[in-house]
């Protein structure tokens, strides 16, 4: 968890006004983008703080499975 990361705060339900959509995966959250590029623009992010794609490791492969 990174307190400065908006996605971490959203995943922990600490961002007021950001509704999470139901998900069958407990390690992922889905929510509507605050600046959508299309009428149906949603983001799916991991609950675990990952930083960026350069920090991904082989143990992250099953994420969302």
């Amino acid at each position: 968890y990174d307190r400065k990361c908006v996605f971490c705060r959203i995943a922990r339900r600490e961002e007021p006004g950001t509704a999470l959509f139901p998900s069958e995966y407990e390690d992922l959250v889905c929510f509507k983008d605050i600046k959508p590029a299309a009428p149906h623009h949603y983001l799916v992010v991991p609950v675990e703080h990952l930083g960026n794609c350069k920090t991904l490791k082989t143990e992250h492969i099953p994420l969302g499975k």
Side-chain angles (χ1 to χ4, degrees), residues 48-60:
E48 176 189 352
H49 179 79
L50 296 175
N52 62 49
C53 61
K54 293 180 182 180
T55 63
L56 292 173
K57 299 180 178 152
T58 54
E59 59 262 21
H60 293 117

Side-chain angles (χ1 to χ4, degrees), residues 2-3 6-8 13 18-19 21 27-28 31 36 38-39 44 46 52-53 56:
D2 183 347
R3 201 174 298 215
V6 68
F7 299 117
C8 285
R13 294 164 175 79
T18 304
F21 291 94
D27 54 347
L28 299 174
F31 53 94
V44 176
N52 62 49
C53 61
L56 292 173

Side-chain angles (χ1 to χ4, degrees), residues 11-54:
R12 293 171 61 108
R13 294 164 175 79
E14 296 174 354
E15 277 296 308
T18 304
L20 299 181
F21 291 94
S23 173
E24 62 184 88
Y25 304 108
E26 58 188 48
D27 54 347
L28 299 174
V29 293
C30 177
F31 53 94
K32 193 166 186 163
D33 194 330
I34 60 169
K35 294 183 181 175
H40 301 286
H41 187 176
Y42 300 92
L43 298 175
V44 176
V45 298
V47 172
E48 176 189 352
H49 179 79
L50 296 175
N52 62 49
C53 61
K54 293 180 182 180

